[in-house]
């Protein structure tokens, strides 16, 4: 039976995910026996489409590429246009809602509402949006559980690199005493390009063009995006309900070309580091730029690559290095969550 999907937010990641479905449809069906069918897409300015039997993804991409809007999708019997995200979540026949709207670092909205509406209508949610996980993890997890649905968000930390699944699956049984890493692709890319001679604005523009930056890139450069990832790691991996106010947060906006030159003279390199440490006084968390030695493994993590080290009591430190941002990489995170939901469903049925 098809697993029906409703996509809320159709920007870079949404379109990247649809392209993955177009590319992998046959393999998903042959090797994983999964038939993922997009029945709804709802985007604030690009418009909205719903067909209970599924949308033609080639026509969806053609419409958006040629006109920037879903309104150019051809009319067909049974097609409904212009539902809001609320109408879509409540009235679609989708099993799972894929939430890919922008991350609001102050309120987590409208994505928190999107999750609530979905859970109350017994729909799973897969999301790349960090806001709801960082700000409302406990209440939304409870709501999902009470309604017998799943809530997965691998893409929220390090895009398609399994930064959440790794500690939750293969590292389980360890006590994790510290988590530390480079957790933002945009700023890591910018620092690299600024070392290569670009100025701050040029480097940011490139990162935006490559699809790494947030809709409001202030979240990247001022460290809020890393702060949110630290809150997610604290809540989800350490089980500690850390709050935003408890984390000192500084981004890279104040780092000048002169600072980069000074680091170079000292045999060092600037990196924006997020960290969480278990102490007797509780979990200590910081987000701040640090100069790391050039022979530190973190110094070699460049561009939009990220790295995270889990310090474990039994297995010792384990470091994961991989993409921290990117359209295809984040689209993959959605796919792996959907494969997990499909497998879970089959296990329950079997
Ligand atoms: N890009 C990346 O590398 C990564 C992104 N993420 C997260 O994934 C999410 C999506 O990222 P990305 O695709 O790059 O961002 P974009 O800004 O490209 O896309 C977000 C889309 O959501 C739409 N939108 C905003 N509000 C609503 C709403 N209320 N209802 C429906 N649609 C809405 C926007 O519409 P419009 O523009 O038409 O207003 C836009 O098309 C973000 O939360 C981001 O933090 C996570 C990991 C990596
Ligand atoms: N803007 C973020 C996207 C992924 O979370 C980043 O640059 O890392």
């Amino acid at each position: 039976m098809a697993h029906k999907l409703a996509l809320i937010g159709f920007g870079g990641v949404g379109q990247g995910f649809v392209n993955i479905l177009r590319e992998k449809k046959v393999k998903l069906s042959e090797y994983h026996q999964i038939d993922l069918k997009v029945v709804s897409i709802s985007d604030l300015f690009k418009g909205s489409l719903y067909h209970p039997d599924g949308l033609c993804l080639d026509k969806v991409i053609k419409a958006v590429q040629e006109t920037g809007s879903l309104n150019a999708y051809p009319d067909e019997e049974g097609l409904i246009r212009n539902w809001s995200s609320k109408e879509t979540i409540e009235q679609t026949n989708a099993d799972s809602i894929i939430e890919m709207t922008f991350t609001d670092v102050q309120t987590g909205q409208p994505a928190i509402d999107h999750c609530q509406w979905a859970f109350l209508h017994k729909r799973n949610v897969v999301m790349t949006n960090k806001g709801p996980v960082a700000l409302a993890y406990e209440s939304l997890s409870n709501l999902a559980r009470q309604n017998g649905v799943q809530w997965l968000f691998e893409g929220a930390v390090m895009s398609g690199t399994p930064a959440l699944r790794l500690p939750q699956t293969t590292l389980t049984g360890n006590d994790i005493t510290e988590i530390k890493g480079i957790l933002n692709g945009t700023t890591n890319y910018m620092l690299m390009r600024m070392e290569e001679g670009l100025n701050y604005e040029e480097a940011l523009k490139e990162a935006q063009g490559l699809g790494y930056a947030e809709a409001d890139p202030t979240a990247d450069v001022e460290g809020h995006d890393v702060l949110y990832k630290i809150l997610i790691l604290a809540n989800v991996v350490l089980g500690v309900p850390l709050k935003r106010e408890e984390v000192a947060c500084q981004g890279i906006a104040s780092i000048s070309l002169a600072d980069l030159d000074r680091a170079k003279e000292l045999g060092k390199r600037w990196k924006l580091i997020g960290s969480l440490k278990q102490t007797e006084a509780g979990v200590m968390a910081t987000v701040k730029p640090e100069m790391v030695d050039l022979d530190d493994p973190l110094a070699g993590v460049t561009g939009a690559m990220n790295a995270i080290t889990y310090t474990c009591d039994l297995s010792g430190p384990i470091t994961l290095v991989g993409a921290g941002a990117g359209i295809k990489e984040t689209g993959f995170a959605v796919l792996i969550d959907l494969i997990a939901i499909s497998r879970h469903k089959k296990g329950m049925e079997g």
Side-chain angles (χ1 to χ4, degrees):
M1 210 167 76
H3 182 161
K4 297 196 189 79
L5 313 176
L7 277 45
I8 309 296
F10 201 53
V13 174
Q15 291 168 48
F17 171 63
V18 161
N19 280 326
I20 290 175
L21 290 184
R22 292 165 78 209
E23 207 179 294
K24 298 266 181 186
K25 188 169 176 52
V26 175
K27 278 200 172 160
L28 284 169
S29 161
E30 284 180 2
Y31 295 115
H32 299 281
Q33 288 77 50
I34 294 172
D35 177 14
L36 297 173
K37 185 176 280 189
V38 177
V39 291
S40 296
I41 303 179
S42 178
D43 187 272
L44 204 53
F45 290 114
K46 293 180 197 77
S48 164
L49 300 170
Y50 169 60
H51 196 297
D53 299 333
L55 299 167
C56 169
L57 298 185
D58 291 342
K59 290 179 187 168
V60 163
I61 291 296
K62 186 169 187 282
V64 170
Q65 276 177 355
E66 288 179 359
T67 67
S69 164
L70 292 167
N71 296 334
Y73 186 90
D75 278 326
E76 56 191 52
E77 205 183 325
L79 185 76
I80 297 178
R81 296 181 190 272
N82 297 326
W83 271 353
S84 65
S85 56
K86 187 168 199 275
E87 287 167 323
T88 300
I89 292 167
E90 293 183 344
Q91 296 181 45
T92 178
N93 65 354
D95 308 290
S96 298
I97 303 297
I98 318 298
E99 218 289 350
M100 298 171 289
T101 67
F102 70 101
T103 292
D104 182 309
V105 292
Q106 298 306 328
T107 65
Q109 294 289 17
I112 291 178
D113 284 345
H114 291 164
C115 291
Q116 286 172 342
W117 297 331
F119 297 152
L120 292 171
H121 285 78
K122 312 278 183 215
R123 308 196 202 286
N124 308 299
V125 173
V126 166
M127 69 189 339
T128 57
N129 194 318
K130 287 145 259 188
V133 200
L135 297 182
Y137 178 66
E138 201 183 340
S139 60
L140 288 175
S141 300
N142 287 338
L143 194 61
R145 204 172 306 116
Q146 284 156 15
N147 285 282
V149 292
Q150 294 208 57
W151 181 33
L152 298 179
F153 36 77
E154 182 61 72
V157 180
M158 281 174 70
S159 66
T161 308
L164 295 176
R165 228 170 229 114
L166 176 83
Q168 289 179 302
T169 55
T170 43
L171 297 184
T172 192
N174 281 294
D175 283 342
I176 296 177
T177 53
E178 189 173 355
I179 304 176
K180 181 175 173 181
I182 298 171
L183 299 174
N184 181 268
T186 301
T187 48
N188 207 47
Y189 179 86
M190 286 174 68
L191 289 169
M192 178 189 79
R193 295 296 281 140
M194 285 163 69
E195 277 179 12
E196 289 168 358
L198 261 59
N199 68 32
Y200 181 91
E201 285 74 23
E202 289 166 339
L204 174 57
K205 204 166 170 210
E206 274 196 7
Q208 288 178 298
L210 289 163
Y212 303 150
E214 296 300 306
D216 176 1
T218 320
D220 295 294
V221 296
E222 291 189 351
H224 305 301
D225 179 73
V226 178
L227 167 60
Y228 266 33
K229 290 167 180 166
I230 285 291
L231 296 181
I232 295 171
L233 290 162
N235 276 273
V236 177
V237 178
L238 301 183
V240 175
L242 195 70
K243 300 273 174 293
R244 184 171 37 183
E245 315 75 71
E246 298 172 83
V247 186
C249 176
Q250 188 193 337
I252 67 153
S254 61
I255 292 188
S256 63
L257 292 177
D259 292 326
L260 294 174
D261 288 343
R262 186 167 55 91
K264 202 172 179 182
E265 280 161 22
L266 295 170
K268 292 173 188 282
R269 178 169 275 164
W270 284 101
K271 292 289 173 193
L272 181 59
I273 306 285
S275 75
L276 282 163
K277 196 170 183 165
Q278 304 264 23
T279 72
E280 284 185 2
V283 167
M284 297 295 157
T286 57
V287 175
K288 62 177 187 329
E290 291 179 19
M291 273 197 271
V292 299
D293 290 330
L294 283 181
D295 57 7
D296 184 317
L298 288 184
V301 177
T302 54
M305 296 295 274
N306 282 186
I308 189 163
T309 300
Y310 294 97
T311 304
C312 306
D313 64 338
L314 304 176
S315 59
I318 305 246
T319 298
L320 184 65
V321 179
I327 297 307
K328 190 178 250 186
E329 294 84 349
T330 314
F332 164 73
V334 173
L335 179 65
I336 189 65
D337 281 345
L338 287 169
I339 291 176
I341 290 176
S342 298
R343 283 184 179 159
H344 176 81
K345 199 163 164 256
K346 280 186 191 155
M348 282 171 63
E349 282 167 356

